[in-house]
Amino acid sequence: MQLSRDDLLSAYGTMVTIREFEERVAAEFETGDMPGFVHLYAGEEAIAVGACLDLEDKDVIASTHRGHGHCIAKGCDVEGMMLELFGRKDGLCGGKGGSMHIADLDRGMLGANGIVGAGGPLIVGAGLTAKTLKTGGVAIGFVGDGATNQGAVFEAMNLAVVLDLPVVFVFENNYIGEGTGVEYSVGSGDIAGRAAAFGMPVEKVDGRDFFAVHEAMRACIARARNGEGPSGIEALSPRYYGHFEGDPQAYRGDGEVEKYRDKDDCLKIFRQKVLEAGLLEEGDLDQLRDKARKEVDDAVKAARAAPAPGKADLMTDIYVSY
Amino acid sequence: MQLSRDDLLSAYGTMVTIREFEERVAAEFETGDMPGFVHLYAGEEAIAVGACLDLEDKDVIASTHRGHGHCIAKGCDVEGMMLELFGRKDGLCGGKGGSMHIADLDRGMLGANGIVGAGGPLIVGAGLTAKTLKTGGVAIGFVGDGATNQGAVFEAMNLAVVLDLPVVFVFENNYIGEGTGVEYSVGSGDIAGRAAAFGMPVEKVDGRDFFAVHEAMRACIARARNGEGPSGIEALSPRYYGHFEGDPQAYRGDGEVEKYRDKDDCLKIFRQKVLEAGLLEEGDLDQLRDKARKEVDDAVKAARAAPAPGKADLMTDIYVSY
Amino acid sequence: MAKKTIREAINDALRQEMERDERVVVMGEDVAGGAGLDGEEDAFGGVMGVTKGLYGQFSAARVIDTPISETAIMGMAAGSAATGLRPVAELMFCDFMGVCFDQILNQAAKFRYMFGGKATTPMVVRTTYGGGLGAAAQHSQCLYGMFTAVPGIKVVVPSNAYDAKGLLIQAIRDDDPVIFFEHKTMYDLADEVPDEAYTIPFGEANILREGSDVTIVALGKMVLEAREAADKLAEDGIEAQVIDLRTTSPLDEETILESVEETGRLVVVDEANPRCSIAADVAGLVAGGAFEMLKAPVKQVTAPHAPVPFAPELENLYLPNADKIVAAAKEIAA
Amino acid sequence: MAKKTIREAINDALRQEMERDERVVVMGEDVAGGAGLDGEEDAFGGVMGVTKGLYGQFSAARVIDTPISETAIMGMAAGSAATGLRPVAELMFCDFMGVCFDQILNQAAKFRYMFGGKATTPMVVRTTYGGGLGAAAQHSQCLYGMFTAVPGIKVVVPSNAYDAKGLLIQAIRDDDPVIFFEHKTMYDLADEVPDEAYTIPFGEANILREGSDVTIVALGKMVLEAREAADKLAEDGIEAQVIDLRTTSPLDEETILESVEETGRLVVVDEANPRCSIAADVAGLVAGGAFEMLKAPVKQVTAPHAPVPFAPELENLYLPNADKIVAAAKEIAA
Ligand SMILES: Cc1ncc(C[n+]2csc(CCOP(=O)(O)OP(=O)(O)O)c2C)c(N)n1
Ligand SMILES: Cc1ncc(C[n+]2csc(CCOP(=O)(O)OP(=O)(O)O)c2C)c(N)n1
Ligand SMILES: [Mg+2]
Ligand SMILES: [Mg+2]
């Protein structure tokens, strides 16, 4: 743990912002005022934040359908995100994308993606840009456990190795793809091992432990920045909400989520570690949570008050010129 | 080597038939009378024959763009094949398929395939049929080294493992995919290892040695027939001709093919082994070669004399009913 | 006869065909759900709940959950169909065809022709399409045109529960590959649906309303909009003949042409984007086959040439609807 | 000005744009060739030899050989385009789009809209299409219709070397994703082609021949057939106006409609299968936009609704050609 106090505050602040964001989105979605499909990231915050803490704007991430956490970790504007989720004209994507396609190229966030696995090849492209234009940037692709069974992801891993690109794959193993368990869907049961067989180092870490994720990612990112090619981590941590909002989660065991929230929660683990080590105070952490809560609350208020896009917006942004 | 004399004669006879077929097709293609794209299998005969010797009609194979060897090994009619390559009405596919789509469902030959890697998922389907209808059949998918980088093949391996199907993958490593070497295109450089990481046993064998291939396949096929799930072999053996007929093979080293033909030839290796072990006589082998040569010559004569399909055939065989 | 939703009608069809023929199997992502997890079996029954209950009756041997590997799913369907099964594969959203189109385009569709008539590939792909749920650009497309363009495939786009059941049973019994499109907003629409199995032949459009002033050709959900439009037009004294295509391949050219010969006017309605669409296809057909009887320009009512937007306000503007059909019809039949 | 083949013209365009802009990179299977092997470098220069020599000039950093992984290639192109490169990816045969369509359909094409205008994706996919080489069902298709249907993409189908160079340079400089179709039998066709770089704007059809009796709209290789047909028709006193679409998206609707308004008759020629084709699309356009001036049914000359057959005798029967165009034109303009 060689992180500065500022880093620790930033890490917790971002994690708790994601948590507050997702819990609030769950509540807002229940009101029926939020359109579309929403997939929540609560429970996995340590992965996104551990992976992105050391990234810069020139670094690029490709996300998944469960993208809010990655967005916030990569520095996207929370109010802009909330506006987008409500389909507002001033949302991050002008209300045209929504939760499943939220993106911010200026922040190096190449988009959530409604197509499972599609981010794999895209992030290889971002890696190619970094290598070709010598930007010094790295490219991080988030891939769910279920997504690791997609042809696109396999091809992407191989191509990243073949071209020796500055790419890091973050396999987010939350045990479930939609309603199917990893034990069923991944033949070998071993995501990291299968990925490593493509010819790159892949470390398995406890995704509930921010420090473990961050440490492993530090090595991967350094490798990539030094021109030593791709690598990956498999980070294990459960999701707390259904696959999508509205999912009754019949595939879960009794009390499963409660157990996770109680015993495996990444925020609790973080708190415990920094408090035990005397690195931060309770008050610091509570303050960050309150700040996050307020930020999210303000965002919801702004979003609810904001105008929807209209007729003039329907046929813009399809082409640069046509 | 527990093969009977009949098995040995059959194995050599099939191998030499493939060789004679391919050498003759090369010559016929040069005349300009054979249409389309042709990919020749000469050099790799021991793989197809080692893999297929123990198969029955109820067993199914899925082939590649380089499919003549698989066809002959699986028992397709040589004359019907030659007619098809010449685009004749009585060809195996009525002249509608040609070399790249040659097939014979009655023989359990599910088709050559113009789409690299597409046979992977298809053979999983054949495995599913065998398992569901309890036919006792096995399903063998041939996959080139280059094809092992296709998403379709990765997905197929995983699905075969997940569903525990009677499938055997035969990775034909002839070092080259079109004009690109395995060392470049396969990130790990290790096709068998990468496949094994999907959760099935995959053995690497000398593909020039019929006995090695046959032995390894015997285990895989037994496994599949016993309901113990998928497996694979990686068999290494060079191709002698260009990627397609007409390819100048600029990517080859000087004298590379000559060296292969001289030192690594699967027919020579077979001859040497059975002669040394006193299992067959020179005369047996020469007789088989002569028979094969005549069979192929007859096939060419028949094909050259045979009628082309015509107007009445153009719009048939698209649907069963429409 | 009982009222059944489209969801129930499709479930009915699957169950009855599985009972009738042991070669019929269902496969896809979470068609049961819960595999490898601690909760209930058959936890989803398909993400839209359409296959619910089949797992309990037919077990994992015939209701096959798969990894997220659409290429392998489609290929497994094609390969098993060519070797003796009659698979019904679920592709959760037709938009995902992008990741697995080869197994349809170059494999299933072409086997029979490439192999000189020696293969049959009796597979069905059930998939969802269409807008209206705020599912945005990657989960709302209407890709039946892309399949209609491919020789060797049949394409079904039912508009009601009765048709859904009869057309799906036909699809399962059909010896050619069939893509079956279900509109994701229509599953709860109910209709009189017989309990017993029945089939509806392909290539026979359904004339839902007689009328001599203008022909409205529509498919899928647009049939509902077309009927509503016809009612509104009738209020203004314009009698529209409404034709539900039911299948786009084969296409019932005869019924379309006969109708246009009667009315002399055509509006084609298609929820898809306009270029190379079913709307364009039918318009082109009529421009060739019924030109002499045409009295006015052929009108196409489609989504615009843009991806499907997320915000409900935009999506509403985007989707074709009864008012747009009425406006188009009035332009040529007022 | 020197005569150059289409192959040379395309090579010219790539080389000049790579010289001009370091962000332009070329990628695909064997675009150089020989990687990881003992023989020559740049052993293929693309399987059709189109990229030959670029590797020597620009090295492996900008002429990127890939494994056989089309999804990863298309995705790498899309992802690199959205982050600052201007990639030109080669897809050996357009038929292979089946294995990688998602990266075009759902990614490259939709980024800009889904992201509210904040992304640009300046990528080009060069690919081959068409019949005539006995390459059969999986290597002979004309899939430009499938791309034309997708909003967010531009589609180019040049018919000669001059256009090929100018349109490809335009494509590379264009900030939207472009699919560039090259007919596999036309690479050796030569033409006057300037040495210097020049662009041809998209959406401007080329009127190749004036004539007042019938309009013939064609694209790609069919333009050659259309010109031949026009010459034959002239012998019988029928003067055809021949329009080369050049791009199908954007489509030059104006030129088509104006021409039909002049001639009153239309034959559309498309090498693709008929359903939801460019032929249907243009016929539908005219049925809506130039109906009042149409004097006869619109004729579509296309391949039939069948996969491309292997045997040369069948392929000859299958492909549209000048004689079929002449026959269609005479039916309406005799
Ligand atoms: C190509 C494709 N197939 C299927 C889906 C439907 N789908 C969306 S998310 C999902 C599960 C993904 O699981 P995983 O990768 O583990 O991510 P998680 O949801 O657990 O974050 C599925 C099947 C899709 N969106 N795209
Ligand atoms: C999807 C697809 N991509 C590319 C091709 C072009 N192609 C045909 S064969 C081939 C090389 C295949 O290499 P490999 O799998 O090693 O088989 P081999 O030719 O060595 O037998 C390529 C690139 C194709 N037919 N299909
Ligand atoms: Mg998961
Ligand atoms: Mg090879």
Side-chain angles (χ1 to χ4, degrees):
Chain A
M1 277 201 262
Q2 313 134 315
L3 285 164
S4 70
R5 182 180 158 81
D6 278 358
D7 282 341
L8 291 172
L9 290 172
S10 160
Y12 190 77
T14 310
M15 283 168 65
V16 80
T17 302
I18 298 172
R19 178 66 54 89
E20 292 294 327
F21 189 91
E22 296 296 64
E23 303 273 13
R24 183 63 180 267
V25 168
E28 295 299 322
F29 190 85
E30 280 233 21
T31 67
D33 295 338
M34 191 177 272
F37 300 159
V38 168
H39 307 82
L40 299 182
Y41 193 69
E44 306 183 56
E45 292 86 348
I47 306 178
V49 178
C52 293
L53 188 73
D54 296 346
L55 298 184
E56 305 166 27
D57 273 2
K58 72 179 175 197
D59 300 321
V60 176
I61 68 168
S63 173
T64 69
H65 57 287
R66 198 176 299 288
H68 309 163
H70 307 136
C71 278
I72 294 175
K74 194 63 176 58
C76 296
D77 180 56
V78 164
E79 184 176 308
M81 287 176 62
M82 193 62 85
L83 262 71
E84 186 60 30
L85 266 58
F86 272 97
R88 301 312 190 207
K89 184 174 163 57
D90 295 324
L92 218 49
C93 303
K96 284 174 173 162
S99 168
M100 259 194 300
H101 310 114
I102 196 158
D104 189 349
L105 276 291
D106 294 336
R107 293 272 85 74
M109 161 61 191
L110 193 45
N113 211 310
I115 305 299
V116 166
L122 294 173
I123 205 62
V124 171
L128 182 71
T129 299
K131 184 173 180 177
T132 307
L133 301 183
K134 302 187 179 63
T135 67
V138 301
I140 315 277
F142 292 93
V143 179
D145 52 272
T148 65
N149 299 310
Q150 267 286 0
V153 172
F154 296 123
E155 290 190 6
M157 292 193 282
N158 187 56
L159 188 56
V161 173
V162 166
L163 299 181
D164 208 28
L165 298 178
V167 171
V168 184
F169 294 97
V170 179
F171 302 108
E172 300 188 308
N173 184 346
N174 60 12
Y175 317 125
I176 312 178
E178 198 164 288
T180 299
V182 165
E183 278 180 35
Y184 179 83
S185 73
V186 175
S188 65
D190 177 11
I191 292 170
R194 191 169 66 176
F198 282 79
M200 60 182 171
V202 183
E203 192 182 337
K204 203 177 282 220
V205 301
D206 183 347
R208 301 162 312 175
D209 179 359
F210 162 81
F211 297 99
V213 174
H214 181 256
E215 201 56 35
M217 282 299 292
R218 189 197 291 258
C220 293
I221 292 169
R223 215 182 134 79
R225 282 214 209 283
N226 294 337
E228 292 162 49
S231 59
I233 68 166
E234 176 186 352
L236 293 90
S237 187
R239 61 166 156 84
Y240 294 165
Y241 285 91
H243 172 58
F244 47 79
E245 283 315 274
D247 168 12
Q249 305 201 63
Y251 47 81
R252 298 266 204 186
D254 279 341
E256 197 181 304
V257 175
E258 294 66 29
K259 199 192 105 265
Y260 293 144
R261 279 193 185 262
D262 197 41
K263 297 235 194 304
D264 297 315
D265 184 64
C266 58
L267 291 174
K268 287 187 185 163
I269 291 173
F270 185 98
R271 280 184 93 104
Q272 201 184 328
K273 289 210 172 187
V274 293
L275 293 177
E276 270 174 16
L279 296 167
L280 297 176
E281 309 282 305
E282 287 265 3
D284 300 327
L285 300 168
D286 291 347
Q287 203 181 326
L288 288 167
R289 186 202 51 219
D290 294 345
K291 183 166 160 269
R293 194 163 290 169
K294 177 157 187 324
E295 185 180 9
V296 169
D297 190 57
D298 289 348
V300 169
K301 284 189 186 125
R304 285 193 166 274
K311 202 156 192 166
D313 305 303
L314 183 65
M315 296 302 289
T316 57
D317 304 328
I318 304 159
Y319 295 94
V320 177
S321 62
Y322 195 60
Chain B
M1 276 199 260
Q2 312 134 315
L3 285 165
S4 71
R5 182 182 158 81
D6 277 358
D7 282 341
L8 291 171
L9 289 171
S10 161
Y12 189 78
T14 309
M15 283 168 64
V16 80
T17 302
I18 297 172
R19 178 66 55 88
E20 292 294 327
F21 189 91
E22 296 295 66
E23 303 272 13
R24 184 63 180 267
V25 168
E28 295 300 320
F29 191 85
E30 279 233 20
T31 67
D33 295 337
M34 190 177 274
F37 301 158
V38 167
H39 307 82
L40 299 182
Y41 193 70
E44 306 183 55
E45 292 86 348
I47 306 177
V49 178
C52 294
L53 189 74
D54 296 346
L55 298 185
E56 305 167 28
D57 273 3
K58 71 180 175 196
D59 300 320
V60 176
I61 68 168
S63 172
T64 69
H65 57 287
R66 198 175 301 288
H68 310 163
H70 307 136
C71 277
I72 294 175
K74 192 65 176 58
C76 295
D77 179 56
V78 164
E79 186 177 309
M81 287 177 61
M82 194 63 85
L83 262 71
E84 186 60 32
L85 266 59
F86 273 96
R88 301 311 190 208
K89 183 173 165 55
D90 295 324
L92 218 49
C93 303
K96 285 174 174 163
S99 168
M100 259 195 300
H101 310 114
I102 195 158
D104 188 349
L105 276 290
D106 294 336
R107 293 273 85 74
M109 162 61 191
L110 193 44
N113 212 310
I115 305 298
V116 166
L122 293 173
I123 205 63
V124 170
L128 182 71
T129 299
K131 185 174 179 176
T132 307
L133 300 183
K134 302 187 179 62
T135 66
V138 301
I140 316 277
F142 292 93
V143 179
D145 52 272
T148 66
N149 299 310
Q150 268 285 0
V153 173
F154 296 124
E155 290 189 6
M157 291 193 282
N158 187 55
L159 187 57
V161 172
V162 166
L163 299 181
D164 208 29
L165 298 177
V167 171
V168 184
F169 294 97
V170 179
F171 302 108
E172 301 187 308
N173 185 346
N174 60 12
Y175 318 125
I176 313 178
E178 197 164 288
T180 299
V182 165
E183 279 179 35
Y184 179 82
S185 73
V186 175
S188 65
D190 177 11
I191 291 170
R194 191 170 64 177
F198 282 79
M200 60 183 173
V202 182
E203 192 181 338
K204 202 177 282 221
V205 301
D206 183 347
R208 301 162 312 175
D209 179 359
F210 161 81
F211 297 98
V213 174
H214 180 257
E215 201 57 34
M217 282 300 292
R218 189 197 291 258
C220 292
I221 292 170
R223 215 182 134 78
R225 282 215 209 283
N226 294 337
E228 293 162 49
S231 58
I233 69 167
E234 176 186 352
L236 293 91
S237 186
R239 60 167 156 84
Y240 294 165
Y241 285 92
H243 172 58
F244 46 80
E245 283 315 274
D247 169 12
Q249 306 201 63
Y251 48 81
R252 298 266 205 188
D254 279 343
E256 196 181 305
V257 175
E258 294 65 31
K259 199 192 103 267
Y260 293 144
R261 279 193 185 262
D262 197 42
K263 296 236 194 306
D264 297 314
D265 184 65
C266 59
L267 291 175
K268 286 189 184 162
I269 292 174
F270 186 99
R271 279 183 93 104
Q272 201 184 329
K273 289 210 174 189
V274 293
L275 294 176
E276 270 174 18
L279 296 168
L280 297 176
E281 309 283 306
E282 287 264 5
D284 299 326
L285 300 167
D286 291 347
Q287 203 181 327
L288 288 167
R289 187 202 50 219
D290 295 344
K291 185 166 159 267
R293 193 164 291 169
K294 178 157 188 321
E295 186 181 8
V296 170
D297 191 57
D298 289 348
V300 169
K301 285 190 186 127
R304 285 194 166 273
K311 202 157 194 166
D313 304 302
L314 183 64
M315 296 302 289
T316 58
D317 304 328
I318 304 159
Y319 295 94
V320 177
S321 62
Y322 195 60
Chain C
M1 206 152 53
K3 280 232 174 202
K4 286 179 191 165
T5 63
I6 290 187
R7 180 182 290 105
E8 289 161 348
I10 294 174
N11 188 282
D12 248 29
L14 291 169
R15 181 186 311 275
Q16 289 173 346
E17 288 306 290
M18 290 179 83
E19 283 169 353
R20 200 181 63 83
D21 186 342
E22 59 155 18
R23 296 169 303 172
V24 179
V25 297
V26 162
M27 55 184 66
E29 294 158 18
D30 293 299
V31 287
L37 293 172
D38 295 337
E40 289 173 24
E41 292 194 326
D42 201 19
F44 267 115
V47 74
M48 303 296 179
V50 175
T51 47
K52 189 88 183 170
L54 299 178
Y55 182 88
Q57 186 172 348
F58 302 103
S59 89
R62 292 178 64 201
V63 180
I64 303 168
D65 272 332
T66 69
I68 307 174
S69 305
E70 283 84 4
T71 299
I73 300 168
M74 293 299 127
M76 179 164 74
S80 63
T83 53
L85 293 183
R86 305 186 77 87
V88 182
E90 178 170 310
L91 182 71
M92 208 180 286
F93 291 82
C94 76
D95 315 66
F96 306 164
M97 200 32 89
V99 307
C100 58
F101 192 37
D102 177 68
Q103 290 290 341
I104 305 298
L105 172 71
N106 288 318
Q107 311 300 328
K110 295 185 171 44
F111 282 165
R112 191 167 177 79
Y113 195 77
M114 292 193 306
F115 300 166
K118 283 175 201 142
T120 52
T121 311
M123 67 185 273
V124 179
V125 180
R126 290 182 41 246
T127 191
T128 66
Y129 76 100
L133 287 188
Q138 294 175 334
H139 282 69
S140 305
Q141 292 167 92
C142 298
L143 300 180
Y144 31 70
M146 188 169 121
F147 294 92
T148 301
V150 181
I153 297 177
K154 295 172 177 172
V155 182
V156 182
V157 192
S159 74
N160 61 66
Y162 177 86
D163 284 6
K165 179 169 175 178
L167 289 166
L168 182 55
I169 292 179
Q170 173 65 32
I172 294 171
R173 295 184 190 175
D174 200 285
D175 282 327
D176 294 309
V178 179
I179 319 287
F180 190 91
F181 282 86
E182 304 168 8
H183 200 288
K184 61 176 78 69
T185 67
M186 289 170 71
Y187 282 115
D188 292 322
L189 246 60
D191 216 344
E192 300 290 324
V193 176
D195 285 328
E196 64 278 11
Y198 58 96
T199 60
I200 298 174
F202 290 168
E204 297 193 7
N206 195 9
I207 302 178
L208 292 172
R209 189 183 191 287
E210 293 290 346
S212 54
D213 297 327
V214 59
T215 298
I216 306 179
V217 168
L219 75 168
K221 189 173 184 189
M222 290 303 109
V223 171
L224 310 185
E225 301 293 334
R227 295 181 87 158
E228 190 183 324
D231 290 343
K232 290 190 182 177
L233 288 166
E235 288 168 20
D236 291 329
I238 299 172
E239 293 301 328
Q241 186 161 138
V242 177
I243 297 179
D244 175 354
L245 289 180
R246 279 181 171 161
T247 64
T248 62
S249 180
L251 181 73
D252 187 351
E253 302 189 353
E254 206 177 296
T255 297
I256 298 167
L257 293 175
E258 275 173 10
S259 172
V260 174
E261 276 163 20
E262 227 178 286
T263 63
R265 295 179 170 86
L266 173 64
V267 178
V268 208
V269 193
D270 183 351
E271 193 186 324
N273 300 117
R275 303 297 313 283
C276 300
S277 60
I278 299 295
D281 189 79
V282 170
L285 167 75
V286 166
F291 171 78
E292 318 287 355
M293 308 296 284
L294 261 185
K295 296 182 201 142
V298 174
K299 288 280 168 188
Q300 301 179 38
V301 179
T302 69
H305 188 63
V308 184
F310 167 66
E313 294 79 1
L314 291 179
E315 200 180 17
N316 277 340
L317 290 165
Y318 179 91
L319 293 171
N321 59 27
D323 287 343
K324 294 179 192 175
I325 301 168
V326 166
K330 285 193 176 166
E331 274 190 62
I332 53 172
Chain D
M1 208 153 50
K3 280 235 175 200
K4 286 178 189 165
T5 63
I6 290 187
R7 180 182 290 105
E8 289 161 348
I10 294 174
N11 188 282
D12 248 29
L14 291 169
R15 181 185 310 275
Q16 288 172 346
E17 288 306 291
M18 290 180 83
E19 285 169 352
R20 200 182 62 84
D21 186 343
E22 59 155 18
R23 296 169 302 172
V24 179
V25 297
V26 163
M27 55 184 66
E29 293 158 19
D30 293 299
V31 287
L37 293 172
D38 295 336
E40 288 174 24
E41 292 193 327
D42 202 17
F44 267 115
V47 75
M48 303 295 180
V50 175
T51 47
K52 190 86 183 171
L54 299 178
Y55 182 88
Q57 186 173 348
F58 301 103
S59 91
R62 292 177 65 199
V63 181
I64 303 169
D65 271 331
T66 68
I68 308 174
S69 305
E70 284 83 4
T71 299
I73 299 168
M74 293 299 128
M76 178 164 74
S80 63
T83 54
L85 293 183
R86 306 186 76 87
V88 182
E90 179 169 310
L91 182 72
M92 207 180 287
F93 292 81
C94 75
D95 315 65
F96 305 165
M97 199 34 88
V99 307
C100 59
F101 193 36
D102 176 67
Q103 291 290 342
I104 305 299
L105 171 72
N106 289 318
Q107 311 300 329
K110 296 185 171 44
F111 282 165
R112 191 168 177 79
Y113 195 76
M114 293 193 304
F115 300 167
K118 283 176 201 141
T120 52
T121 310
M123 66 186 273
V124 179
V125 179
R126 289 182 41 245
T127 192
T128 66
Y129 76 100
L133 287 188
Q138 294 175 333
H139 283 70
S140 305
Q141 291 168 92
C142 299
L143 300 180
Y144 32 70
M146 187 170 122
F147 294 91
T148 302
V150 180
I153 297 177
K154 295 173 177 171
V155 182
V156 182
V157 193
S159 74
N160 61 65
Y162 177 85
D163 284 5
K165 179 169 176 179
L167 289 166
L168 182 54
I169 292 178
Q170 173 65 32
I172 294 171
R173 295 184 190 176
D174 200 284
D175 281 327
D176 294 309
V178 179
I179 320 287
F180 190 90
F181 282 86
E182 305 168 7
H183 200 286
K184 62 176 76 70
T185 66
M186 289 170 71
Y187 282 114
D188 292 323
L189 245 61
D191 216 343
E192 300 289 326
V193 177
D195 285 328
E196 65 278 11
Y198 58 96
T199 60
I200 297 174
F202 290 168
E204 297 193 8
N206 195 9
I207 301 178
L208 291 172
R209 190 183 190 288
E210 293 290 347
S212 54
D213 297 327
V214 59
T215 299
I216 305 179
V217 168
L219 75 168
K221 189 174 183 190
M222 290 303 109
V223 172
L224 310 185
E225 301 293 333
R227 296 181 86 158
E228 190 183 326
D231 290 343
K232 291 189 184 178
L233 287 166
E235 288 169 20
D236 290 329
I238 300 172
E239 293 301 328
Q241 188 162 137
V242 177
I243 297 179
D244 176 353
L245 290 180
R246 279 182 171 158
T247 64
T248 62
S249 181
L251 181 73
D252 187 351
E253 303 189 354
E254 206 177 297
T255 297
I256 299 168
L257 294 175
E258 275 173 10
S259 172
V260 174
E261 276 163 21
E262 228 179 284
T263 63
R265 296 180 169 86
L266 173 65
V267 178
V268 209
V269 193
D270 184 352
E271 193 186 323
N273 300 118
R275 303 297 313 283
C276 301
S277 60
I278 299 295
D281 189 80
V282 171
L285 167 75
V286 167
F291 171 78
E292 318 287 356
M293 309 296 283
L294 261 185
K295 297 182 201 140
V298 175
K299 288 280 168 189
Q300 300 179 38
V301 179
T302 69
H305 189 63
V308 184
F310 167 66
E313 293 79 1
L314 291 180
E315 199 180 17
N316 277 340
L317 290 165
Y318 179 92
L319 293 171
N321 59 27
D323 288 343
K324 293 179 191 175
I325 300 168
V326 167
K330 285 194 176 167
E331 273 189 63
I332 53 172

